[in-house]
Amino acid sequence: MKDSLVNAAPTAEQPRSTPGWTVAVVACAAQFMVVLDTTIVNVALPSMRADLHLTSAGQQWVINAYLLSFAGFLMLGGRAGDLFGRRRMFTAGLVVFTLAGLLGGLATSGPLLIAARTFQGLGAAFLAPAPLALINSHYADPRTRNRAIAAWSATATAAGSCGILFGGLLTDGPGWRWVMFVNVPIGAALVAVALRALPGDDGAGRGRALDVPGAVLVTAALSCASYGLSELEGRSWASPLTGGMLALAAVLLVAFVLVEARGEQPLMPLRIFRSRSLVLGNAAALAVGAVTTSVMYFITLYLQHVLGYTPMRAGLAMLPLTVAIAVSSLLVRRVVQAVGARLPLVVGWLLTAGGLLWQSRFGVDGGFVVDVLGPGVLIGLGLGTTVLPMTIAATSGVPARDAGLASAVMNSARQMGGGLGLAALNALAGAAAVTAAATVRGYAAALTGAAGLALCAAVLALLMPSPQPKPKPEPEPG
């Protein structure tokens, strides 16, 4: 979420001459909750599986249910905030997100937990777009607004690392259910503050259309595709269930494109895909989501299932990877300013692929420094290097009126990549594990597949437009 709507233009909607920090604090807290829930569950997965008797496919759906509903309804959530009021949609999304956390913590079976995670993703889709929009509309002074946006961005980076750490701490302590319950007191407090302190707005047009069919179609298509891919673990491509679900996903995707092409107020206007940079940037976003989610998933399982780490120790072991992502994403800015987005994106993917291939060599008696720390830092440096150039590519080359839309599409693509990539790589890991009778070889096969995806992303990055050279100053006459 760090990158969502980063290009949204400031507006003069209800500016305050003496702004307090209430809006910024609420925005940062909401951002923290949304990003936290993309990572906090990973460390708790083995405990969830044992307690609720989840299958391997069910275990990965605890992650995917959140990501896919989040991705499918994210643009609808942003659009609803513009039309019906950001405070109203922010509060509604926060209520759904908080109640879903409560239901997830009380779940007595795998399907109930997955359903709760689905509703949590839906709440996040309506909650996530509002904080940055509220900051932009509330703080009239550019310097104050920029400080608030910087704090909002830093919160996303911190939440990713804290999610891994908190997940281990809570799972080892009061139990995995508190990974879900932790959102309840925070969410309840934020709802109370939002209703009391956030500025109200009526939205831009109550009578204008909201593309609900488009959001439902794209979410259903992603869910069917993910389910079909996950079933490859135990079935072939030609099986009725697997083939049928993938065919249904294709039909739903075509229907979505037709609805968007013919709708008066489409969720995703197809005109934005005329930009080659935007298309390749969104391909990179898909790959970033797939690789990041899969690495977190498989390394966490390896640490606990194979090396016997406790959840807390596994969380600490994963921390260097998340810190490396944060550090390299900050250091790459000057490089991008100097040489453009293409070269850093290629280098980032090559580093990521190298780290994944190194990581895939781990064994049942692996050591922390060689098999976890070293490759994890290399993967983190590579992924962090890709984030900024990916964002620039996916949000450049479009008209100013579509800048916010392009950013929302990129963020949706990143969440979609996480869900679909995890489903495909989990099927690869399951198939390898069955044939080789070794779980560790299954995880290694999945990470090798992720390395292949990173290399494909590096090749696509080479096709990005070259940076335009700066014009040389003309010599003065005489």
Side-chain angles (χ1 to χ4, degrees):
M1 286 303 304
K2 175 182 176 181
D3 306 300
S4 65
L5 304 178
V6 291
N7 294 297
T11 69
E13 190 177 320
Q14 294 188 339
R16 301 279 182 91
S17 57
T18 56
W21 284 100
T22 302
V23 171
V25 170
V26 171
C28 289
Q31 175 79 341
F32 187 87
M33 284 179 64
V34 171
V35 178
L36 188 78
D37 265 60
T38 64
T39 58
I40 195 172
V41 171
N42 280 279
V43 180
L45 283 174
S47 299
M48 291 175 172
R49 180 173 184 174
D51 194 19
L52 300 180
H53 309 291
L54 291 165
T55 63
S56 175
Q59 182 178 241
Q60 58 107 1
W61 269 102
V62 175
I63 303 292
N64 275 3
Y66 180 81
L67 292 177
L68 295 179
S69 60
F70 189 3
F73 286 93
L74 180 60
M75 286 182 288
L76 184 72
R79 182 68 172 158
D82 292 337
L83 294 180
F84 306 121
R86 294 176 186 123
R87 185 180 70 174
R88 186 178 288 110
M89 290 299 103
F90 175 85
T91 306
L94 193 55
V95 168
V96 173
F97 188 91
T98 303
L99 290 177
L102 177 63
L103 293 175
L106 296 173
T108 55
S109 68
L112 287 177
L113 177 59
I114 292 169
R117 289 285 286 172
T118 301
F119 282 107
Q120 200 167 35
L122 178 64
F126 284 83
L127 166 63
L132 184 58
L134 285 168
I135 288 174
N136 279 326
S137 63
H138 185 70
Y139 295 109
D141 177 61
R143 294 181 63 184
T144 304
R145 183 171 57 242
N146 289 340
R147 285 198 296 267
I149 291 175
W152 175 85
S153 300
T155 299
T157 301
S161 298
C162 289
I164 294 290
L165 196 59
F166 289 174
L169 183 64
L170 291 170
T171 305
D172 257 356
W176 69 262
R177 294 182 184 278
W178 280 91
V179 168
M180 305 296 295
F181 285 149
V182 70
N183 292 309
V184 177
I186 302 174
L190 283 178
V191 168
V193 174
L195 291 174
R196 185 179 182 88
L198 290 186
D201 62 303
D202 293 328
R206 288 178 177 273
R208 300 174 68 181
L210 193 61
D211 187 13
V212 176
V216 172
L217 283 171
V218 71
T219 305
L222 291 171
S223 299
C224 289
S226 182
Y227 186 81
L229 291 170
S230 67
E231 287 300 307
L232 288 173
E233 180 181 345
R235 295 179 172 86
S236 69
W237 287 94
S239 69
L241 180 60
T242 301
M245 293 302 293
L246 293 175
L248 179 58
V251 170
L252 291 170
L253 188 59
V254 170
F256 168 72
V257 173
L258 292 176
V259 167
E260 300 308 288
R262 298 176 181 178
E264 294 182 2
Q265 296 290 335
L267 189 66
M268 184 189 295
L270 302 181
R271 66 176 182 272
I272 67 171
F273 293 104
R274 295 171 185 167
S275 166
R276 183 176 66 170
S277 177
L278 182 142
V279 171
L280 292 173
N282 278 283
L286 285 166
V288 165
V291 172
T292 303
T293 303
S294 300
V295 165
M296 296 286 186
Y297 181 81
F298 289 109
I299 299 305
T300 298
L301 296 183
Y302 170 73
L303 290 171
Q304 295 186 63
H305 284 170
V306 179
L307 298 187
Y309 280 30
T310 63
M312 183 60 193
R313 190 180 176 193
L316 289 171
M318 292 290 291
L319 202 56
L321 187 152
T322 59
V323 171
I325 292 175
V327 169
S328 60
S329 65
L330 293 174
L331 295 179
V332 77
R333 293 182 181 183
R334 291 187 178 181
V335 179
V336 172
Q337 290 175 353
V339 302
R342 183 171 63 179
L343 181 60
L345 197 54
V346 173
V347 171
W349 282 124
L350 292 177
L351 289 174
T352 302
L356 287 165
L357 290 173
W358 180 2
Q359 190 97 71
S360 69
R361 296 175 62 86
F362 53 32
V364 293
D365 55 350
F368 171 71
V369 174
V370 174
D371 294 309
V372 179
L373 178 62
V377 169
L378 187 58
I379 293 169
L381 291 174
L383 287 173
T385 302
T386 65
V387 171
L388 181 60
M390 171 199 77
T391 304
I392 292 173
T395 55
S396 62
V398 296
R401 64 191 173 99
D402 290 332
L405 171 66
S407 185
V409 170
M410 178 205 68
N411 194 60
S412 295
R414 187 169 177 175
Q415 307 301 332
M416 291 175 188
L420 295 176
L422 179 57
L425 293 173
N426 191 57
L428 180 61
V434 170
T435 55
T439 300
V440 67
R441 292 191 59 183
Y443 295 162
L447 292 174
T448 302
L453 181 60
L455 290 173
C456 291
V459 172
L460 287 177
L462 291 172
L463 303 177
M464 291 182 61
S466 302
Q468 296 296 322
K470 295 181 180 179
K472 297 180 179 180
E474 296 182 3
E476 296 183 1

